[in-house]
Every structure is written in structure tokens, then in C-alpha cells.
Amino acid sequence: MAWFKNWISGKKKPPEAAPAESGDTPLEEEKPAEETPAIETEPVEPAPAAPAPQQQEDPEEKPEEKPEEKPEKKKRSAWSILRRGLEKTRKSIAGVFSLGRAIDEELVDEIQDSLITADFGPETVTELIEGEDGLRKAWKEKKLKESTEVRDFLKDLLKSNLKKRDNSLLQATEAPTVILVSGVNGTGKTTSIAKLAHRLTAGGKTVILAAADTFRAAAVEQLTIWSQRLGIEIVTGEADSDPASVAYRAAEQAVESGADYLIVDTAGRLHTQTNLMKELSKIRNVLEKKVSGAPHESLLVLDATTGQNALLQASNFLEAVEVSGIVLTKLDGTAKGGIVVAINNRLQIPVKFIGVGEQIEDLEAFDPDGFVDALLDSAESTS
């Protein structure tokens, strides 16, 4: 009826509409769409294929941005994990750095006692307090006046001390890098191996495990379960079989497959058993025959909760096995985090990894700056 009213009013649109509909409907359907953009082209414009792919490209760009954000989150979480793990030690020391407290003999003695209680070790504490560059001398020379200054002063001394030795994981000049792991039962050795393997594979490296603790079925079973969870290969042997044979077969497999790392778990009997020491020496020999320079890294796992007894264990292992680095576990379960410094100083062996929790991610590469900050920052401060 609309065309009829227009025709009556003299606009004569019906004749124009008639040829448009009847003349070239298959060919001229595109023309009306162009001639009447106000009515038909507005709903048609969003439909073309051109804008659609532009909207599909945006989601493809977003996933590329996410990996860039992940490293930042990992760094923040690593600091959080470390700080959480050292919480007990930090709280045990924090009280002596009371805000605005003047330095006097009593405060110096309290700081000394706190460091000894946290298992920094008598040699380290003596160096920090009474040494040539120690706290007492700095105070006497009026370089320090308040307790808050003491915190930063001790931080600088500890960081300098811990940086004397290389804390990085040693690498072979040509793959595979062979890592031999030792430690008494109960230190968290097997779990630490799994955590180390996780760190390496997360960095894109291929890892093979060797379950050479053949005299303890539970150790082989536990490591096998971890290998399945992590999706990595493991070489095992029969119960009570020669551990050196397992290590040798694993070395062969690592070479043939082109693996980046081979981590060898060894028996974890008490350090007083001389047979264990002979066994470790044999494993080292067979590894070297198959892979030049192996083992390239020899890690000793120690339990931080045992305090000074960990130093005794390490000393006994060092009599038979060359140790190049320490893995210190269970720092989250003790207020004696100073043992890291004591081990580093007395044994002259760098601490390379610290365990600060039960999760698979809770093995941190030892960073002197981050460790000292997490250890001596105020108990209330946050990352």
C-alpha cells in the first residue's frame, strides 16, 4: 500500500520499482543493494568475510602475549616461595632489628646469639661480629648508629661471603651432562631429583633418570612414579643388582638418545657404612668410562632440619666422594636457615639448590641476593 500512496501523490515510484523487480532479478539484485544503501547495505556490511578474519587474528595475538607475562609471574612466585620457606628463620632473627633501637653492647650480643641460634655456625658468626670488617668494629668506628642500619650492614657481608663460590649448575661441554646425586636416607634425595628433573624439563631440556639405589625397592618405585608423572625416561635394575650396572646402562641410553641430562640416584644408607662409599666410587668410575668427564656435577643432598649434623654427614661423604655442590632440603621446616651459610663457609662447597616446600616447583636455584634478602628482611614486609 505504500507504493500506491506514493503513486497517488505523484511521485510515480511504482513504475520504477516494477522494472527493478521483473527486469533482471538474478543480475540486478546486486545493483539495488548498491542503490539503496540506507536500507539493505547496513545489515549486509557486518556480514562480509573481510572483517571476520580481522576478529580471528586478535585471539591469535593474545596467546602470544601470555607467554611474555608468564616469566614475570614465575619470578614473583619464586620470591614468594623462597620467602615463605625461610619464614621461621626470618621471624627468629627479626626481633633484634627493632626500629630505632640504638646500638650498644647488649644489642651486639643479642644479634650474635640470634645468628648462632639460626645455625649460621660459630666460624661465620665470629667473622660477621668480630671480624676485620665485622659489626662490632663498624659500630665502634661510628659507621653504624641504629639497629635498622645493622640489617643492611649484615646483608652486604653475607651476600659478599656467599658469592665467593660459583652457585650455578655445572655443564658438560658436550651432552649429556651427568649429575650424580648422593645423600643419606630421609634427606629428601629422591624427591629432590624429581624436582631437579622438573626444573630442567620445564626449561626445554631432555632428562633421563637412573635408579641406581637398587638396594632399596621403595626408592626405585618412588623414582619410577615420579618419572611417569613428569613424562621422562628412567633406567632401572633388578632388586639388589649392581648399582654401577644401572648407571652404565643409563649412560649408554643417554648417549644414544641424545639426552641433555642424566641424573643418577645412588644408595642412601647411613654415612657410617664404608661399603656405600666404595659403591659410589665404583659408579663414578663406570660413568666416566662411558661419558667423558662424568659425573660433571656431584650433588650432595642434606636435610636443613638436622642443623650442624648436616655438616658431619657432608664431611664423611667428602672423604670418599668428590662433591661439587649441595642441595639443602626442608628449609621451610626449620628456623635454622643459617646452615646454608655455615655449609658454604666450612665445607668450601657452594649450595646450588634449596628445597623450600613439598610441591614439585619448590626447589629453588640458590641465589645469594634473594636468599639473604628473604632471610633478613623484616618479618612484616612483603614482596
Side-chain angles (χ1 to χ4, degrees):
M1 295 298 293
W3 66 267
F4 179 75
K5 291 179 181 179
N6 292 334
W7 182 74
I8 291 296
S9 62
K11 295 182 179 178
K12 297 183 180 181
K13 287 189 177 179
E16 295 178 1
E21 292 178 358
S22 59
D24 296 314
T25 50
L27 298 175
E28 296 181 0
E29 282 178 348
E30 297 177 356
K31 292 181 180 179
E34 295 176 357
E35 293 173 357
T36 55
I39 299 175
E40 296 184 358
T41 56
E42 288 181 357
V44 175
E45 283 179 359
Q54 291 177 357
Q55 294 177 352
Q56 291 176 355
E57 288 176 0
D58 293 336
E60 290 179 3
E61 294 176 357
K62 290 179 182 177
E64 294 177 0
E65 295 175 357
K66 289 180 181 177
E68 296 177 359
E69 297 176 356
K70 285 182 180 178
E72 295 180 1
K73 291 181 180 179
K74 286 182 179 180
K75 289 178 182 178
R76 290 194 296 270
S77 64
W79 167 254
S80 176
I81 289 171
L82 179 60
R83 185 173 168 78
R84 181 197 66 203
L86 295 171
E87 182 177 7
K88 291 184 179 180
T89 305
R90 183 172 59 255
K91 286 184 176 180
S92 71
I93 300 175
V96 297
F97 301 115
S98 301
L99 183 64
R101 182 176 174 183
I103 302 177
D104 53 21
E105 288 288 353
E106 183 180 0
L107 177 60
V108 173
D109 290 342
E110 286 182 19
I111 293 173
Q112 184 172 3
D113 292 342
S114 295
L115 295 176
I116 291 175
T117 302
D119 245 339
F120 278 78
E123 297 91 348
T124 302
V125 174
T126 299
E127 180 182 350
L128 292 173
I129 303 299
E130 308 294 350
E132 183 64 25
D133 299 318
L135 172 60
R136 193 180 299 277
K137 181 179 180 181
W139 166 52
K140 293 291 187 182
E141 293 178 352
K142 301 187 183 302
K143 295 179 180 179
L144 303 172
K145 296 181 179 181
E146 294 185 356
S147 58
T148 50
E149 298 175 309
V150 175
R151 189 197 305 275
D152 291 334
F153 177 80
L154 291 178
K155 277 186 179 184
D156 291 340
L157 286 181
L158 286 171
K159 289 176 182 179
S160 176
N161 182 290
L162 291 171
K163 290 178 181 178
K164 291 178 180 179
R165 283 163 282 279
D166 184 9
N167 301 297
S168 61
L169 188 66
L170 298 179
Q171 304 285 327
T173 54
E174 185 178 348
T177 294
V178 180
I179 304 173
L180 183 68
V181 184
S182 309
V184 301
N185 291 339
T187 58
K189 174 171 60 70
T190 305
T191 304
S192 294
I193 290 174
K195 291 179 178 180
L196 177 57
H198 171 73
R199 283 185 63 91
L200 295 173
T201 54
K205 303 299 183 181
T206 54
V207 178
I208 292 179
L209 301 180
D213 190 355
T214 58
F215 298 112
R216 193 163 66 98
V220 177
E221 181 181 0
Q222 184 183 7
L223 198 60
T224 300
I225 292 173
W226 275 117
S227 71
Q228 293 170 349
R229 290 178 181 175
L230 296 173
I232 58 180
E233 187 176 350
I234 185 171
V235 177
T236 62
E238 298 294 331
D240 297 328
S241 62
D242 184 9
S245 67
V246 176
Y248 185 83
R249 287 190 292 106
E252 279 187 323
Q253 182 61 28
V255 172
E256 292 174 2
S257 65
D260 296 310
Y261 289 90
L262 169 63
I263 305 178
V264 183
D265 183 20
T266 63
R269 300 178 187 177
L270 293 176
H271 58 270
T272 54
Q273 297 184 4
T274 56
N275 287 341
L276 173 62
M277 302 308 170
K278 293 179 180 179
E279 183 181 289
L280 293 175
S281 296
K282 184 178 179 181
I283 291 175
R284 292 180 65 93
N285 292 335
V286 300
L287 287 172
E288 203 280 331
K289 289 179 181 179
K290 191 61 186 177
V291 182
S292 178
H296 307 99
E297 182 80 271
S298 184
L299 299 176
L300 176 62
V301 181
L302 298 174
D303 181 353
T305 62
T306 62
Q308 294 296 312
N309 188 49
L311 288 169
L312 176 62
Q313 292 178 8
S315 298
N316 281 278
F317 266 98
L318 286 172
E319 293 177 3
V321 182
E322 182 181 349
V323 177
S324 54
I326 301 292
V327 178
L328 196 60
T329 65
K330 307 178 186 180
L331 270 174
D332 57 314
T334 180
K336 299 181 179 295
I339 191 64
V340 173
V341 184
I343 289 174
N344 193 76
N345 286 348
R346 186 184 297 184
L347 300 179
Q348 301 294 302
I349 299 174
V351 174
K352 300 203 170 183
F353 295 96
I354 53 177
V356 289
E358 298 179 356
Q359 301 301 315
I360 192 68
E361 302 87 2
D362 293 344
L363 183 72
E364 292 296 318
F366 183 69
D367 169 47
D369 289 339
F371 173 80
V372 173
D373 288 340
L375 189 67
L376 292 184
D377 273 348
S378 64
E380 297 79 14
S381 65
T382 57
S383 56

